[in-house]
Amino acid sequence: MKNKNKQYRKHFVKEDKHASQFALSLNNRITYVYKTDRQGIMMEITCVSLEINILDQWITIIFYDNHHAGKLHRHTRIAYNDEADITDYKNVKMKGSLNNLLTWSIKDIQNNFIIYKRKFIKRNRPILNDVEIEEY
Amino acid sequence: MSKAQQVNLNMQLSEELATFIITNPKILKKYSGCSYVVFSYKNKELNELNNELVIGLINEGKNVVKAIQTSDKNFPWKFSTALN
């Protein structure tokens, strides 16, 4: 019966979701999620996010996505205590296959995560007060 | 305006907006959890691109706020909820 259910499900699933996560350092990590069709062709970059550890909680401070096959764009979290963000295309790669855009997003975060983190912490100093945050 | 100048202006605008919102907690509270999209008072090219972004975000189901830069130093930004 279990096998039958599996086959039934497989027949009707039109896309697969893939999620991965890797550490940049002890307190910084990247999570990326994308969808492919049944042939393995990428259909959507659901999110490529930079998460940082503050007070034993992981929070996303920046992420890329192209929901509903739109252009790749960036969301930058504004404040530590609210999930509101600024969304833009600035310096975001727009041309190329979804595979290339996914790779570009991951590399951008890998190369610039310290800069993104410093900016976030700098503007949130009034909220974070004396909380010590490890850069790495 | 060259492309490099435009990129610099855009980067600066987002930074200015983020700092403004942090220092005005009432705005953060009013538009809690929303996605802000920046509109410049002088860069039409940026605004056209960002109008497309607003539509895309609304279609994603996000609550979108247009942050419109003004030339008034006392009130550098005005905010409005973007509707479908």
Side-chain angles (χ1 to χ4, degrees):
Chain A
M1 186 66 185
K2 248 187 181 178
N3 274 345
K4 265 190 179 176
N5 279 344
K6 239 184 191 177
Q7 279 176 347
Y8 181 84
R9 196 173 66 224
K10 201 175 175 186
H11 183 72
F12 286 97
V13 170
K14 287 185 179 160
E15 53 187 28
D16 291 321
K17 204 171 187 178
H18 308 263
S20 301
Q21 193 170 70
F22 62 91
L24 290 164
S25 61
L26 194 62
N27 295 295
N28 306 290
R29 71 184 184 195
I30 291 180
T31 300
Y32 61 96
V33 183
Y34 61 94
K35 287 179 185 168
T36 59
D37 66 11
R38 288 172 68 190
Q39 278 78 45
I41 296 166
M42 197 181 295
M43 296 171 69
E44 178 186 280
I45 300 169
T46 312
C47 113
V48 180
S49 62
L50 168 61
E51 291 154 25
I52 64 171
N53 188 357
I54 298 180
L55 299 171
D56 288 331
Q57 273 194 321
W58 288 96
I59 63 162
T60 299
I61 61 165
I62 194 161
F63 72 94
Y64 291 97
D65 75 81
N66 86 322
H67 264 299
H68 306 295
K71 289 176 186 164
L72 187 70
H73 53 267
R74 183 199 297 117
H75 297 258
T76 307
R77 185 171 175 141
I78 299 165
Y80 171 67
N81 57 352
D82 193 279
E83 285 185 9
D85 62 54
I86 294 176
T87 310
D88 59 40
Y89 291 124
K90 290 155 208 166
N91 285 344
V92 177
K93 188 177 170 67
M94 287 184 180
K95 290 178 183 169
S97 67
L98 285 180
N99 283 308
N100 285 344
L101 294 177
L102 177 70
T103 307
W104 179 87
S105 311
I106 294 169
K107 284 197 169 161
D108 176 72
I109 292 180
Q110 276 179 313
N111 294 337
N112 298 306
F113 78 95
I114 289 293
I115 296 168
Y116 295 143
K117 188 171 182 176
R118 278 183 190 157
K119 280 185 180 173
F120 177 79
I121 292 167
K122 189 181 170 190
R123 71 171 167 268
N124 278 282
R125 256 305 146 218
I127 298 168
L128 290 163
N129 294 321
D130 297 328
V131 174
E132 274 191 36
I133 297 155
E134 296 278 345
E135 201 155 74
Y136 291 93
Chain B
M1 186 182 284
S2 74
K3 200 174 176 183
Q5 281 173 318
Q6 197 177 332
V7 167
N8 283 339
L9 173 70
N10 294 347
M11 300 279 279
Q12 199 186 320
L13 275 180
S14 285
E15 285 299 315
E16 279 175 19
L17 174 63
T19 308
F20 181 79
I21 292 169
I22 290 269
T23 50
N24 290 275
K26 277 184 185 173
I27 292 167
L28 194 62
K29 198 176 171 185
K30 185 175 179 185
Y31 300 111
S32 177
C34 292
S35 285
Y36 292 78
V37 179
V38 172
F39 286 83
S40 162
Y41 73 88
K42 52 187 172 187
N43 190 334
K44 283 184 183 171
E45 216 174 314
L46 170 75
N47 296 348
E48 279 171 20
L49 198 61
N50 281 353
N51 260 326
E52 288 176 28
L53 185 57
V54 168
I55 295 164
L57 290 169
I58 290 171
N59 289 338
E60 274 180 40
K62 302 234 178 200
N63 294 319
V64 183
V65 175
K66 286 183 172 184
I68 302 154
Q69 186 193 28
T70 73
S71 52
D72 185 344
K73 280 184 182 175
N74 295 321
F75 301 98
W77 297 96
K78 60 179 182 179
F79 300 93
S80 65
T81 309
L83 299 170
N84 219 344

